[in-house]
């Protein structure tokens, strides 16, 4: 199980190999939300998402003689790129299983990082079984996207950064909204903030109809999504919370939030207009909750984590078009 010592050790292994991403704000966003909004722009991370942290943490911790055989991961794109980047920098091969409907930009970027990409059907194929088969056949080390203690520890390094940045911004008590799929980032950040900034309460943010984590926390036991496809927020659509992540989420996180796809698109557009940052749909869910769920948030300030910025041009253009819609705020 990951803990604060593992997170601090992951921070030491990462060192200066990844970016310390900024905490951004804009008065116009504060006005929409009715409170101070701070955005942790992890969309500016190397590979375009927080997944670079977990990838580096896991790859760097593998014994060199085992790591040399290569690693394997399955992902809709962001974990893929994180693991592929870490593998390339450590000089080892990477095989990545990606769903056929993953954004083309993510598939292309993963290949550009030197990884071998194997495509599968997320509705019909068992990615866990495919990954296990390839790992055994080739002697590869499997790095899971969220239910892996070293991955959770790596993602938790974002929480260590956030604790310091929030304190410098004068925010010691606030809801911290995190885009949540399987819970690797959310659980890692929750562990880090529990130790370093206990006044910052983590809450999950998910797309409506794919809010398995919120429902699981409410029930006190794991709940599954009814379906796995059909959402623009592909980066955070998973079957259910992880067996390692859920106990952490259940213990440390407040009630989860869910937003519509239209709200996600508007949040993407508003982030571009007021912060000049590009956020992908799955990475904009937390900002959407911060802006459009004000009655469900406690306190004078809210922190949202923008988890990724890897979005296809056509979809991003669709998001920007929401700025022209009648009645669109700011």
């Amino acid at each position: 199980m990951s803990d604060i010592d593992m997170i601090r050790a992951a921070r030491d292994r990462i060192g200066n190999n990844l970016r310390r991403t900024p905490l951004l704000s804009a008065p116009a966003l504060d006005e929409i939300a009715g409170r101070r909004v701070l955005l942790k722009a992890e969309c500016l991370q190397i590979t375009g998402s927080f997944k670079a942290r977990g990838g580096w943490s896991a790859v760097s911790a593998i014994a060199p003689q085992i790591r040399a055989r290569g690693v394997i991961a399955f992902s809709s794109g962001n974990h893929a790129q994180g693991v592929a980047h870490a593998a390339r920098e450590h000089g080892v091969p990477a095989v990545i299983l990606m769903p056929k409907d993953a954004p083309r930009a993510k598939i292309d970027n993963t290949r550009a990082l030197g990884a071998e990409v194997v495509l599968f059907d997320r509705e019909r194929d068992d990615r866990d079984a495919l990954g296990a088969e390839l790992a055994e056949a080739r002697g590869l080390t499997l790095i899971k996207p969220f239910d892996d203690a070293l991955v959770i520890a790596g993602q938790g390094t974002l929480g260590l950064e956030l604790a310091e940045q929030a304190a410098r911004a004068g925010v010691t008590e606030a809801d911290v909204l995190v885009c949540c799929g399987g819970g690797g980032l959310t659980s890692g950040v929750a562990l880090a903030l529990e130790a370093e900034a206990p006044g910052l309460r983590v809450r999950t943010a998910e797309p409506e109809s794919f809010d398995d984590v919120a429902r699981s926390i409410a029930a006190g036991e794991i709940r599954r999504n009814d379906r796995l496809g059909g959402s623009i927020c592909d980066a955070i659509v998973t079957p259910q919370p992880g067996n390692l992540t859920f106990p952490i989420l259940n213990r440390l996180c407040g009630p989860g939030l869910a937003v519509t796809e239209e709200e996600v698109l508007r949040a993407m557009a508003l982030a571009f207009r007021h912060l000049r940052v590009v956020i992908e749909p799955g990475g904009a869910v937390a900002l959407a909750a911060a802006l459009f769920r004000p009655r469900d948030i406690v306190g004078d300030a809210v922190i949202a984590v923008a988890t990724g910025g890897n979005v296809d041009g056509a979809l991003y253009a669709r998001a920007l078009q929401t700025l022209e819609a009648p009645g669109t705020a700011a």
Side-chain angles (χ1 to χ4, degrees):
M1 182 66 71
S2 297
D3 57 25
I4 188 61
D5 291 333
M6 286 186 67
I7 294 171
R8 289 168 178 155
R11 176 184 59 188
D12 293 342
R13 291 197 306 277
I14 290 171
N16 294 321
N17 292 293
L18 300 180
R19 294 174 185 150
R20 182 183 178 89
T21 54
L23 194 63
L24 305 177
S25 62
L29 299 182
D30 297 349
E31 184 176 351
I32 295 170
R35 56 173 50 85
R36 188 179 182 191
V37 177
L38 298 172
L39 184 78
K40 177 65 168 166
E42 195 66 8
C43 49
L44 301 177
Q45 184 56 263
I46 290 173
T47 75
S49 92
F50 74 94
K51 292 287 192 176
R53 297 176 185 267
W56 194 283
S57 172
V59 172
S60 65
I62 302 171
Q65 65 273 21
I66 297 176
R67 187 170 62 211
R69 302 173 191 163
V71 296
I72 184 171
F74 39 83
S75 164
S76 66
N78 287 336
H79 179 61
Q81 292 173 77
V83 171
H85 172 264
R88 185 185 68 177
E89 295 302 299
H90 284 83
V92 301
V95 177
I96 309 295
L97 277 72
M98 302 184 70
K100 293 179 180 178
D101 62 349
R104 175 54 54 182
K106 294 182 179 181
I107 295 173
D108 292 345
N109 289 344
T110 302
R111 286 178 171 145
L113 288 166
E116 175 189 348
V117 174
V118 177
L119 299 176
F120 70 94
D121 186 322
R122 74 165 85 217
E123 294 282 0
R124 299 179 181 178
D125 298 330
D126 184 337
R127 69 176 189 180
D128 292 340
L130 289 171
E133 181 180 347
L134 278 170
E136 182 177 0
R138 303 193 192 184
L140 307 172
T141 298
L142 176 62
I143 300 177
K144 296 181 179 180
F146 53 84
D147 223 21
D148 181 300
L150 289 167
V151 169
I152 294 170
Q155 319 305 25
T157 63
L158 185 152
L160 298 180
E161 285 183 15
L162 183 55
E164 297 174 4
Q165 293 170 319
R168 285 201 302 272
V171 177
T172 57
E173 293 187 4
D175 282 348
V176 177
L177 312 186
V178 184
C179 309
C180 191
L185 174 65
T186 313
S187 58
V189 169
L191 287 170
L193 295 182
E194 178 188 34
E196 300 291 339
L200 302 181
R201 178 179 69 159
V202 172
R203 300 181 64 185
T204 62
E206 299 171 281
E208 289 185 351
S209 301
F210 298 92
D211 59 341
D212 52 298
V213 180
R215 290 185 288 106
S216 297
I217 291 173
E221 61 183 19
I222 291 178
R223 295 284 191 261
R224 289 182 60 87
N225 281 320
D226 294 331
R227 56 193 175 95
L228 298 179
S231 173
I232 63 171
C233 303
D234 64 285
I236 58 171
V237 173
T238 54
Q240 63 185 50
N243 293 324
L244 295 183
T245 62
F246 180 68
I248 303 170
L249 303 173
N250 197 42
R251 180 172 69 87
L252 295 177
C253 294
L257 301 167
V259 295
T260 67
E261 290 194 350
E262 180 60 29
E263 288 168 333
V264 168
L265 292 170
R266 288 171 61 194
M268 293 166 63
L270 291 168
F272 170 76
R273 170 175 282 180
H274 299 297
L275 298 172
R276 290 297 186 259
V277 294
V278 174
I279 312 177
E280 66 186 270
V285 171
L287 178 60
L291 296 176
F292 307 125
R293 294 292 181 273
R295 295 181 181 178
D296 298 325
I297 296 169
V298 177
D300 297 328
V302 62
I303 300 171
V305 180
T307 51
N310 296 308
V311 57
D312 282 341
L315 182 54
Y316 196 63
R318 177 182 162 194
L320 295 182
Q321 288 173 0
T322 65
L323 292 174
E324 309 304 323
T328 299

